[in-house]
Amino acid sequence: MRYLGIGESLDLGHLYLRLRGAGHEVKVHVADPACHGIYEGLLERVPDFQRELSWVGRDGVVVFEQTAHGELQDDLRKDGFRVIGGSALGDRLENDRAFGQEALRAAGLRTAPTRDFGSFDEALRDLAARPRRTVFKLSGGGFSSSRTYIGELDDGRDVAAFVEAQRDSWKFDEPPRVVLMDHLRGVEMGTGAYFDGERFLSPACLDFEHKRFFPGDLGELTGEMGTLVTYRGSERFFAATLARLEETLRDGRYVGYVNLNTILNEDGVFPLELTCRFGYPGAAILEALHVDGWDAIFERLLSRAGGTFQTHPGFAVGIVLTVPPFPHAASAVSLAKGAPILTRRPLTAAEEEHLHHGEVALRGGRLVTAGPAGYVTVATGRGRTVEEAQRAARDLARLVVIPGLRYRNDIGDRFLDGERDSLERWGFL
């Protein structure tokens, strides 16, 4: 089978390596020039994916990584290509936050009070009129996590100061759409599943993300520093939340992975946002629980027959291993390129399977860091219990040696230290 991967920064390189290892032909297109060195020597990169459509053909599979090409995906499906990734509707559900929240409400879900503004100054006037604790985000695709701020003060002074700083540093002619969501206290938990254009495949997953840079949930927000996931026990929560969007996704001809992030407390479930694409490192961490390969899951998606794919019981923990300049812009990009990726001893084949590489390349027979962000690899561990999965992931992470390596060693601790008890008490687990 032929697979053509299309993305900005090759976020799914680990997935393509698995497909190639299963005997398939793989080509990838990487739009961002700063990321052209990623997976050098490991995957074949092509400069123009449009020219490769004849190569992949209508019997192969086209995989889109980001939410920037939804309309193109819809058009390719109409032309008979087999496409996995999302759709134009998926792009809008994720990138247009007001639209996404309205879709959730239309599905019968209760959302947190949210207001959408046409400028920074409008948001500041709202905060001045109604001081409160909020979460600040920009609406639209392509914004980094550094543009998001979770307020700490009940009177909103810290959010107002952050909005002012964003306004004063904004370098574009048009102001962005600004979102203020009232802050909710509780447990953050997501659920995700694969949608085949007609229905969701089972099982769905439950996930607990850790987005801050330092252990103890300190420091700046990153895309993600690690996650605890399971495919077991999700049925009730999934049915009450993400499953309600089945008709919406069917009408939008969506084919791919969808995730809904929520806050849960004694008052119920409050959806925060939809991710209508493969997550990274989410896809890598979920892979640690897959019995079926990506090719089998993709074929089930494209057959539109629904059903179940095979997964391991228990939990998986994923730890993101980074080097500078992560999580900041690539002002020190040289630190993130060319550093050797070593291990304290030769890894077993099973251990190799639990390293899911990000910004890496093979040069002179040696695996090295590559790319602009310093997002090197994800170490995963699987176990019957959370503690077993944590131990396996941490043991593997400790075997990796890279100059300047940083990672969190507390992924999953929040769940063990109280979140699980709260979710069980509220009836969600």
Side-chain angles (χ1 to χ4, degrees):
M1 181 74 68
R2 290 180 173 179
Y3 289 84
L4 176 62
I6 301 170
E8 291 294 316
S9 51
L10 198 51
D11 292 340
L12 298 180
H14 66 95
L15 185 156
Y16 303 135
L17 275 188
R18 299 290 192 255
L19 289 171
R20 203 184 69 173
H24 302 290
E25 298 179 70
V26 179
K27 293 183 180 182
V28 296
H29 170 76
V30 185
D32 186 352
C35 298
H36 283 180
I38 297 174
Y39 275 80
E40 176 186 331
L42 295 166
L43 292 170
E44 180 181 353
R45 181 174 61 83
V46 296
D48 185 350
F49 70 84
Q50 296 277 7
R51 294 183 178 180
E52 302 301 326
L53 292 175
S54 60
W55 171 82
V56 73
R58 288 168 174 79
D59 295 326
V61 180
V62 183
V63 180
F64 283 85
E65 297 183 2
Q66 275 87 26
T67 55
H69 299 291
E71 290 186 2
L72 175 59
Q73 293 182 58
D74 292 341
D75 290 341
L76 288 173
R77 290 189 185 106
K78 291 177 183 177
D79 289 341
F81 287 93
R82 306 202 306 160
V83 179
I84 292 174
S87 69
L89 172 73
D91 287 3
R92 193 175 179 197
L93 285 171
E94 176 170 349
N95 296 332
D96 185 338
R97 294 188 182 276
F99 178 78
Q101 292 287 300
E102 180 55 39
L104 292 166
R105 287 190 290 271
L109 296 170
R110 179 173 47 161
T111 62
T114 304
R115 300 196 68 182
D116 185 280
F117 305 97
S119 69
F120 293 111
D121 288 330
E122 286 183 23
L124 287 168
R125 286 193 291 270
D126 181 78
L127 285 171
R130 295 192 306 122
R132 64 201 187 280
R133 187 178 179 185
T134 63
V135 178
F136 167 88
K137 296 183 178 183
L138 298 182
S139 187
F143 296 115
S144 72
S145 56
S146 64
R147 296 282 190 179
T148 297
Y149 181 74
I150 300 174
E152 298 284 344
L153 302 178
D154 289 338
D155 62 6
R157 285 179 293 124
D158 56 337
V159 174
F162 186 83
V163 174
E164 290 175 350
Q166 294 293 305
R167 177 197 61 192
D168 295 344
S169 64
W170 190 255
K171 298 179 180 179
F172 304 99
D173 293 334
E174 293 293 325
R177 302 294 303 181
V178 174
V179 175
L180 291 178
M181 176 182 288
D182 285 10
H183 183 269
L184 294 170
R185 291 177 173 86
V187 176
E188 185 173 347
M189 182 172 78
T191 183
Y194 297 93
F195 193 80
D196 70 1
E198 297 289 338
R199 61 189 65 81
F200 284 104
L201 304 185
S202 62
C205 74
L206 299 176
D207 62 72
F208 301 84
E209 297 180 346
H210 298 64
K211 295 182 178 179
R212 293 198 180 272
F213 192 31
F214 297 113
D217 286 322
L218 299 174
E220 57 268 59
L221 288 169
T222 69
E224 196 174 332
M225 290 302 297
T227 298
L228 167 69
V229 298
T230 183
Y231 276 111
R232 298 298 184 265
S234 64
E235 295 83 2
R236 179 183 176 187
F237 184 72
F238 170 73
T241 55
L242 184 57
R244 295 187 179 188
L245 290 173
E246 184 169 279
E247 183 177 351
T248 299
L249 295 170
R250 184 187 303 119
D251 292 343
R253 301 184 301 278
Y254 190 93
V255 180
Y257 182 76
V258 189
N259 185 277
L260 176 63
N261 197 28
T262 73
I263 289 287
L264 302 95
N265 57 36
E266 60 273 12
D267 295 324
V269 181
F270 297 86
L272 299 178
E273 60 188 2
L274 286 157
T275 299
C276 298
R277 53 182 166 80
F278 288 98
Y280 187 78
I285 302 170
L286 287 173
E287 181 188 282
L289 290 172
H290 291 176
V291 175
D292 288 344
W294 287 111
D295 48 0
I297 295 173
F298 286 175
E299 284 303 313
R300 185 167 291 278
L301 275 175
L302 293 165
S303 72
R304 298 198 172 193
T308 300
F309 59 96
Q310 299 302 307
T311 59
H312 290 284
F315 298 84
V317 166
I319 303 172
V320 177
L321 278 58
T322 73
V323 297
F326 185 90
H328 301 292
S331 58
V333 65
S334 60
L335 294 177
K337 290 184 177 180
I341 301 172
L342 307 171
T343 54
R344 299 183 187 278
R345 60 166 173 76
L347 300 183
T348 66
E351 289 168 334
E352 292 279 5
E353 286 292 309
H354 281 275
L355 280 181
H356 314 262
H357 295 315
E359 296 184 351
V360 305
L362 188 65
R363 294 175 184 158
R366 170 183 287 181
L367 196 65
V368 299
T369 60
Y375 210 110
V376 181
T377 193
V378 181
T380 62
R382 183 176 64 243
R384 181 180 57 85
T385 64
V386 175
E387 292 88 343
E388 289 178 3
Q390 283 182 312
R391 185 162 54 250
R394 292 170 183 172
D395 288 349
L396 181 56
R398 281 192 286 266
L399 292 176
V400 178
V401 178
I402 310 170
L405 180 64
R406 301 89 47 85
Y407 58 88
R408 286 181 60 162
N409 60 3
D410 66 340
I411 305 302
D413 282 358
R414 283 201 322 257
F415 183 80
L416 297 173
D417 292 342
E419 288 185 345
R420 174 168 55 189
D421 292 341
S422 295
L423 292 169
E424 289 176 348
R425 185 170 66 251
W426 299 329
F428 296 118
L429 287 181

